Structures are given as structure tokens and as C-alpha cells.
Amino acid sequence: MHELVKKWQNVAPSQNAEKILRERYYLKNREGEYLENSWNELSRRVARVIAAAELLNNPRLQQMTPAERLDHIKSWEEAFYELISSRIFIPNSPTLFNAGMGVDFELLYKPLENMKLEDYEKIVQQRNHLHMLSACFVVPVDDSIDGIFTAVKEYAMITKVGGGIGSNFSALRPNGSFVAGTHGKASGPISFMHVFNSAVSVVEQGYRRRGALMGILNIDHPDIVDFIQAKRGNDGERVLRFFNISVGIPMQREEILKLYEQDGQIELHHPKWVGKKQVRVREIFQLMAQNAWETGDPGMVFLGEMNKYYALYPVRQIISTNPCGEIGLGPYEACNLGSIDVAKLYDGGKFAWDALEKIVRVAVRFLDNVIDVNVFPIDKIEWAVKESRRLGLGIMGFADLLYQMEIPYDSEEARRFARNLMAFISLHAHEASSDLGEEKGNFPLFSQSRYAKEENFVPFSMDVSDYDDEIKQHFKTRAKKHKRNVAVLAIAPTGSISNIADTSSGLEPNFLLAYVRYVNKQSSGEREPLLYVNEVLRKKMPAEDLKRIESELIEKGSLKNLDVDEKWKRIFVVALDISPMDHLLMQEAFQCYVDNNISKTINMPNSASVDDVLDIYVEALKHKIRGLTVYRDGSLRTQVLTTARSA
Ligand code: ADP
């Protein structure tokens, strides 16, 4: 094991992290008593259950003696344990919540040296219907009452076990169109979205999560204008509160850009709609910008761009994303995520590339194993997942890493580093997936995929990095024969797990250098404030300087207007110090080496105008990104983080 992993195993979660873990993550029995009381115990449970998957997915185990089999599983349990307990790699929340559900508690925590082969077999057998480990789902919604209410039921079943769900509602006939069965008029996709929203609002996820949805309507659907305004008047809670909404761009983004630039029109259509209507693309964009300015919704998702790089297109098609946008999926597909805290890999003045390579390889095996011990809420989901075995390995802690390296987030140097970092992870993750293909078998649709069939296929656009030749070589040679997973990478928001890791979230800049975050108290449901001051700042800035500015920093969250050396201001930038364009360019830097997508918010100051928002919507069409989410400070979208002052 790498010494860095050992080092971080000895660093306990902060008080804040421990509080979150205790409130939401540590497993309890039916009587409400804690079965685990530390991150190490939780790590043991998760590592053990995921290692047990080797019994389900590793054909080589058949050739081993029972003693060898046991050793094999135990050694993977230990490798997974090291990564999770060090908090260098953390899987998505549902894996932390639900791994081990249904299993005898003693089996989950007994010392590794006492584990027998039968114990692992029991773990596999005893998993129950709550053993659901994935964060991302897409459910198709058909144009019939039966289809719609089947989907509502599926939403309820997935929400109950903690998954986030997205749907594309474009198949639904528009408002006012004819319904043959009843000689009545259809009420359209938006009215049905309210049904999904209500269903999710009444499904209990216990104390852990409140549910999260993504609703998409394609830009050429006849109801697009109403859809764009569907969350108008939202105060962050009232209207479609569980939904993020996004306009789907099923064609290539260049096509829409051309129409925008030439002031062209788009023809709205639906097979069940007799009407004819053209809308100016500029009008649609103006309306999107106006609404995003007010409420943060809608975003855009470039489905055409996702399919362009999808290894199974056109055999399979991406129709929607999950709630935060980092994964595009086909009907009934699901995906599990995991994130590496790159801030923990900066040690002694340098970045530990050698450690990162090892971590990536173990993490890919871990995430691939998650698929096989997962208990999916619906059979169709299990089939869809297992035919392509999509994974989402990404990063968190990027902003804190840049702070340590003293590189400003909004600089070409930061973007160059981002491309190299992601290209390196991508190269090794894809090599690991090919190794797994050779060891355990390729994903079932591999021979139909573009990996096998298309001469120069690479599942992301690439740009310029130090690893481009190796990446091309990989896809020209090894990936032609072996690939375990249709896609391997994604950058998630890591909203909760970055707090557990005491690091910055995903690829995002820190929102504030000091802030308050609210946690729901399980016992009373009250919201309890937790105060954070950025750790890297605390370490780097001379203590007396920090002391001098501390109260102002807690109030403002940024160094921008404080009386400190320019050097600190340049390095320790926060989200609102960074221009929208620099946000977008960082999204692009990462996306160029990611086969799934990226969760990124383009932050804008409260003073931004509707035209400023419009500029970013149009700019997005010019860059190699796969979606856009804008948040204007103080707009109506629910704000998770607040400055200490407004607490
Ligand atoms: P975490 O840090 O808890 O692992 P992320 O913030 O990285 O989760 O979100 C990853 C994905 O998990 C989201 O895109 C969404 O699909 C799902 N998700 C997040 N929050 C919720 C929630 N409250 N309910 C259901 N799904 C969620």
C-alpha cells in the first residue's frame, strides 16, 4: 500500500464530518441503536460487502481451491478498506447507506482474520431489497396513461431506496392534443411532471435524503415554451420542488449554434400533434436565460453530444441524465459513482501520480463489483445495467488541491493541470477496465460497441494533454479486445461525500472560504448549523493574518475585498470571484477526458443581467461540454450553502 494512503488512514474525520456521518450514515438496527460508531467500521462494512462480489463476478474463482478463494476475497476487502478508510476514495452515498442491508450484523464487522469463505457466501445470499447502491437512474416515460403511471410507480420504488432519477418527457403528447380513447384533450408533459413530483414528495427515504429528480424536454417539443417557464414563481420549494429541469438538445450543439447565429427557426413537432409551429431559436434562448436568471432553471443537456461519444450509439441511445447531470443514460439504466479526493494526494510539495494510478485501478474494480452485489429495485434496471456495466469514477477536492499548489482556479495553468489530471485518470481507469474485461469478461454488448468496431473511436473529445498518445494507443489496441465497462468516468457534485472527506466538492471551486452548512438532526428534524473555515487557508496563511481578518471572512466568504496580500487573493479564489467564462472553460478542460459527463455549476453574481446569462447559454454551444447549469447568486433556486452571516 502506498504510504500516503497509510498517512490518511491515521487522520480522523473532522468533527463536522463525524456529525454528518452520525446523523445520516452510520448503520443502526431496528431499535435505532448504532451498529457502527466510526468511519473505520463503516469502511469495513462497505469494503467487505463489495469484495464479496468476487464470488458473483469472477470466473477465475472456479479454478481456485477454497483457501485460495478466501485469500483472494480477503485481499480485495483489505485493498478496498484501505482506500475508503483513508477517505482518499469514497463511493456514492447509496453505497455507504445500503451496503450490507439484510445481512447478519456480526458478519459485517467481525475481524478480517476470522472471516471464512462461508461468511462471504452468506453476505451475498442475505442481501435484501434495500441493498441498493447506485445514485443515478433514468426511467422512460411513454405516451399513455399506463406508461405514465408505471413510471410514477418506478419513481416511488427508486426514491424509496435512495436513487436520483431523470426522465425525458418528450414522448408525451403536448398539452391540448387529442386523446383517442376518451375523445378528450391531453394535459401535456408539464402537468404530469407535477404527478411525479407529488409521488416523490410522499415517499419516505427515512432521515437520509429527500429525493432528487431531473426533468428534460427536448427543444423541439411543442410545449417547450411552457416547459422553460415551468418553475417560474418558484421560491425554491413550492413548484416542482424535487425537479431540476433542463432543455434537451438531441441534435449536435453546432446545429443549434448555427440556427442561433443566423436567427433561424426550429420546427416543433410530435407524432400525435397535428399543429405546425416554428419558433426562433433566439426566442427560446432568451426565454431560457430569463428564467435561469430568476430561478436557476432550466439548464441545458446536450444529448446529441453525449451520443456522439457513446460507445454503444446507435445500438443504444442516451435519452436523459440523472438529477445533477453527470451521467447520461438510456431507458432503465443506472450508474454507481465513486470519487477520489485529489487534495489528499498532494504531499511534501508534489502531487503523488504514482499513488493516483494505483488508487484508480482499485477504485475501478470496486465500482465494477458494486454492480454485482447491487439489488436493483426493478428487474428491467438490472438487465439494462448489466448489459453495459457503466461506471462513474471521478474526483473531488480539486479546488483544495489547487490552493495547495498555489495555482489560481481561473488560469490557463489550472486548466492545463486539469486536463493532465483527468487524462491520467482516464487512461488508467480505461486500462483497468480493459484488464477487468480480460479477467472477468467484457460487458455483454461489447462486440456491438464502437470500441470493438470503430477504427479510431475514443469515448471523449480529448484536447491537449501529456497522455494523448497513450490514450489513443489504448483505444487502438487493447480496447479493441477488452473492455468491462461501456463508460468509466464522471465527475459528480459529491455534495455529501466531500464533506465526509473534509475536502472541496467535485471539480468546483470552493463556494466560500468560511461558511455555515445546515444538517438535519435526525432525532428532532431541526436544522443545525455547522461552521467551516477552509483548511488549506488555515494552514497556509500566517496565523496572525487569518486572525485579523477572520470575522470579516466569515461574513463575506471571500478574500476579494479584504486587507490581505494580493498573492493570497489570487490563489484563494472562490466561486463568485471567478468569471462565468472561466467556470465554463474548467468544465470543458475536464469534459474533454471524461466519457460520461460532469456536474458543474456556472456561478454568476447577483448583479449579472439576463444578457450575461444569455451570453453563457450561447457560449456553452461553442464548447466541448455536455450540459449547462447556471446559478445566479440570490436567485430563487434552493441554496444549500449560505454565508455564516445569513445563518
Ligand atoms: P453524494 O455526495 O451524496 O454521494 P452527489 O452530491 O455526488 O452525492 O450526487 C450524486 C448523484 O446522487 C446525483 O446526481 C443524484 O443522481 C444522486 N442524488 C444526490 N442527492 C440525492 C437525493 N437527495 N436523493 C436522491 N438522489 C440523490
Side-chain angles (χ1 to χ4, degrees):
M1 191 221 314
H2 199 279
E3 71 223 37
L4 251 184
V5 178
K6 222 176 259 162
K7 171 186 150 184
W8 284 102
Q9 277 189 302
N10 291 321
V11 177
S14 68
Q15 247 186 334
N16 288 336
E18 197 59 62
K19 228 181 166 98
I20 295 168
L21 288 167
R22 190 155 277 280
E23 284 292 334
R24 292 168 54 206
Y25 287 82
Y26 290 157
L27 199 63
K28 293 175 180 171
N29 64 14
R30 281 214 193 106
E31 287 70 46
E33 296 153 350
Y34 283 105
L35 294 164
E36 55 198 26
N37 280 291
S38 68
W39 178 247
N40 283 348
E41 285 171 314
L42 181 151
S43 305
R44 180 57 69 190
R45 161 172 63 87
V46 173
R48 180 162 293 170
V49 169
I50 306 307
E54 296 286 324
L55 286 168
L56 298 169
N57 70 14
N58 197 334
R60 294 193 182 175
L61 256 60
Q62 310 307 321
Q63 280 105 53
M64 295 180 190
T65 64
E68 287 168 342
R69 233 177 271 172
L70 180 62
D71 277 353
H72 173 91
I73 299 170
K74 277 184 168 181
S75 70
W76 282 112
E77 176 182 325
E78 201 47 24
F80 297 157
Y81 175 76
E82 283 164 3
L83 282 200
I84 300 170
S85 61
S86 69
R87 295 180 296 151
I88 285 182
F89 167 77
I90 305 186
N92 56 206
S93 288
T95 303
L96 303 176
F97 290 150
N98 298 334
M101 282 290 175
V103 177
D104 279 349
F105 303 132
E106 309 84 72
L107 295 178
L108 298 171
Y109 306 107
K110 77 187 214 185
L112 183 61
E113 59 273 21
N114 297 346
M115 285 296 285
K116 303 198 197 80
L117 194 55
E118 304 88 84
D119 294 334
Y120 289 103
E121 286 165 349
K122 278 190 201 146
I123 288 174
V124 167
Q125 287 154 10
Q126 291 176 357
R127 290 167 298 149
N128 68 13
H129 66 288
L130 298 174
H131 205 272
M132 201 294 292
L133 312 178
S134 300
C136 315
F137 292 79
V138 161
V139 167
V141 185
D142 293 341
D143 185 37
S144 69
I145 290 296
D146 188 19
I148 292 165
F149 284 88
T150 300
V152 170
K153 179 181 169 194
E154 290 164 347
Y155 265 57
M157 290 168 75
I158 296 167
T159 298
K160 187 179 144 193
V161 288
I165 315 158
S167 289
N168 191 323
F169 291 89
S170 303
L172 300 194
R173 70 194 69 185
N175 183 12
S177 50
F178 184 62
V179 182
T182 60
H183 294 279
K185 294 237 159 87
S187 55
I190 300 150
S191 64
F192 284 113
M193 283 172 67
H194 289 278
V195 179
F196 287 85
N197 191 68
S198 300
V200 164
S201 76
V202 294
V203 174
E204 270 290 320
Q205 278 191 30
Y207 53 90
R208 297 166 190 244
R209 297 240 212 200
R210 55 166 239 175
L213 309 176
M214 165 68 89
I216 293 176
L217 200 71
N218 289 347
I219 190 166
D220 52 2
H221 188 282
D223 287 356
I224 193 66
V225 168
D226 289 340
F227 176 79
I228 290 170
Q229 305 177 88
K231 292 192 74 167
R232 183 178 262 184
N234 185 28
D235 62 359
E237 287 298 323
R238 269 203 307 258
V239 186
L240 295 173
R241 69 183 273 215
F242 295 99
F243 271 105
N244 289 329
I245 65 169
S246 276
V247 172
I249 312 284
M251 55 293 277
Q252 297 307 309
R253 59 183 161 71
E254 292 86 350
E255 231 176 277
I256 297 293
L257 178 63
K258 202 164 143 206
L259 285 173
Y260 185 90
E261 284 176 338
Q262 298 173 350
D263 197 7
Q265 302 197 331
I266 195 160
E267 171 146 358
L268 307 183
H269 64 91
H270 186 279
K272 292 273 166 58
W273 191 59
V274 287
K276 261 207 175 327
K277 198 170 178 198
Q278 307 246 340
V279 179
R280 285 172 61 216
V281 169
R282 285 192 188 173
E283 203 178 299
I284 296 180
F285 271 66
Q286 182 70 37
L287 205 58
M288 282 200 281
Q290 176 69 42
N291 280 275
W293 184 90
E294 270 172 48
T295 69
D297 278 299
M300 279 194 292
V301 293
F302 300 147
L303 299 167
E305 182 87 359
M306 293 175 205
N307 281 312
K308 182 174 167 185
Y309 295 103
Y310 181 22
L312 277 171
Y313 188 82
V315 180
R316 294 285 183 276
Q317 202 170 327
I318 287 166
I319 56 165
S320 175
T321 69
N322 69 318
C324 303
E326 68 273 20
I327 301 279
L329 297 169
Y332 292 117
E333 225 190 319
C335 186
N336 59 294
L337 314 168
S339 304
I340 295 169
D341 179 7
V342 290
K344 291 195 169 66
L345 299 181
Y346 195 74
D347 193 52
K350 53 183 195 311
F351 187 73
W353 295 98
D354 55 336
L356 180 60
E357 178 180 340
K358 293 195 180 93
I359 291 160
V360 165
R361 286 177 169 275
V362 177
V364 169
R365 190 182 191 100
F366 177 96
L367 294 176
D368 184 70
N369 272 4
V370 167
I371 291 177
D372 297 295
V373 282
N374 214 332
V375 177
F376 293 97
I378 299 162
D379 286 345
K380 279 183 277 188
I381 295 178
E382 179 170 358
W383 303 331
V385 169
K386 289 192 173 164
E387 68 177 18
S388 63
R389 305 187 67 86
R390 190 189 294 273
L391 310 178
L393 174 66
I395 58 153
M396 52 185 166
F398 182 65
D400 280 356
L401 173 62
L402 290 183
Y403 285 172
Q404 294 181 69
M405 295 172 80
E406 304 194 353
I407 301 174
Y409 190 97
D410 48 347
S411 66
E412 184 46 39
E413 192 185 354
R415 294 190 283 269
R416 192 178 325 121
F417 179 72
R419 288 194 298 269
N420 280 334
L421 176 66
M422 205 58 225
F424 182 90
I425 292 173
S426 199
L427 172 65
H428 292 293
H430 267 282
E431 279 181 354
S433 176
S434 290
D435 289 352
L436 280 179
E438 189 169 10
E439 183 187 345
K440 297 184 172 185
N442 292 332
F443 65 92
L445 293 181
F446 174 76
S447 61
Q448 296 179 55
S449 77
R450 293 157 79 188
Y451 291 129
K453 287 165 61 168
E454 205 174 294
E455 186 60 27
N456 290 314
F457 179 71
V458 177
F460 37 82
S461 64
M462 305 222 288
D463 188 347
V464 178
S465 86
D466 295 346
Y467 306 100
D468 292 359
D469 291 342
E470 282 172 86
I471 289 172
K472 284 185 201 149
Q473 191 60 21
H474 170 81
F475 287 105
K476 264 204 181 99
T477 54
R478 194 149 166 68
K480 290 263 158 303
K481 292 208 177 65
H482 299 292
K483 192 61 73 187
R484 176 79 169 160
N485 313 92
V486 72
V488 189
L489 308 147
I491 304 183
T494 70
S496 299
I497 60 169
S498 63
N499 284 306
I500 295 172
D502 291 308
T503 198
S504 60
S505 48
L507 65 353
E508 296 288 8
N510 283 291
F511 195 69
L512 301 161
L513 285 168
Y515 62 90
V516 168
R517 192 187 166 92
Y518 289 94
V519 177
N520 282 335
K521 266 194 118 153
Q522 186 204 341
S523 38
S524 57
E526 280 167 42
R527 280 153 68 80
E528 188 181 358
L530 296 179
L531 178 70
Y532 289 77
V533 175
N534 183 273
E535 266 308 302
V536 190
L537 182 72
R538 224 199 265 271
K539 282 193 188 125
K540 284 213 172 233
M541 191 181 251
E544 60 284 6
D545 282 7
L546 192 58
K547 191 96 210 109
R548 183 168 52 80
I549 59 159
E550 197 172 54
S551 61
E552 256 192 302
L553 183 64
I554 288 172
E555 189 176 317
K556 301 209 168 97
S558 157
L559 292 178
K560 198 170 176 184
N561 297 316
L562 304 192
D563 176 25
V564 288
D565 199 303
E566 279 305 314
K567 175 187 162 181
W568 302 122
K569 291 189 187 184
R570 188 68 196 102
I571 296 165
F572 287 94
V573 284
V574 296
L576 286 171
D577 300 335
I578 296 166
S579 75
M581 196 57 206
D582 280 306
H583 279 283
L584 194 80
L585 290 175
M586 189 57 88
Q587 181 177 347
E588 184 178 40
F590 276 99
Q591 183 65 74
C592 286
Y593 293 94
V594 169
D595 46 16
N596 292 292
N597 315 332
I598 282 173
S599 166
K600 174 87 187 83
T601 301
I602 310 295
N603 290 96
M604 301 185 98
N606 182 262
S607 59
S609 66
V610 173
D611 278 347
D612 295 335
V613 179
L614 179 62
D615 285 347
I616 281 295
Y617 273 72
V618 177
E619 232 9 273
L621 297 171
K622 299 179 188 165
H623 290 267
K624 292 186 218 150
I625 58 175
R626 302 192 187 174
L628 182 76
T629 304
V630 167
Y631 175 70
R632 184 177 64 92
D633 195 38
S635 65
L636 293 176
R637 187 172 233 191
T638 319
Q639 223 170 335
V640 188
L641 306 175
T642 59
T643 58
R645 195 175 191 206
S646 54

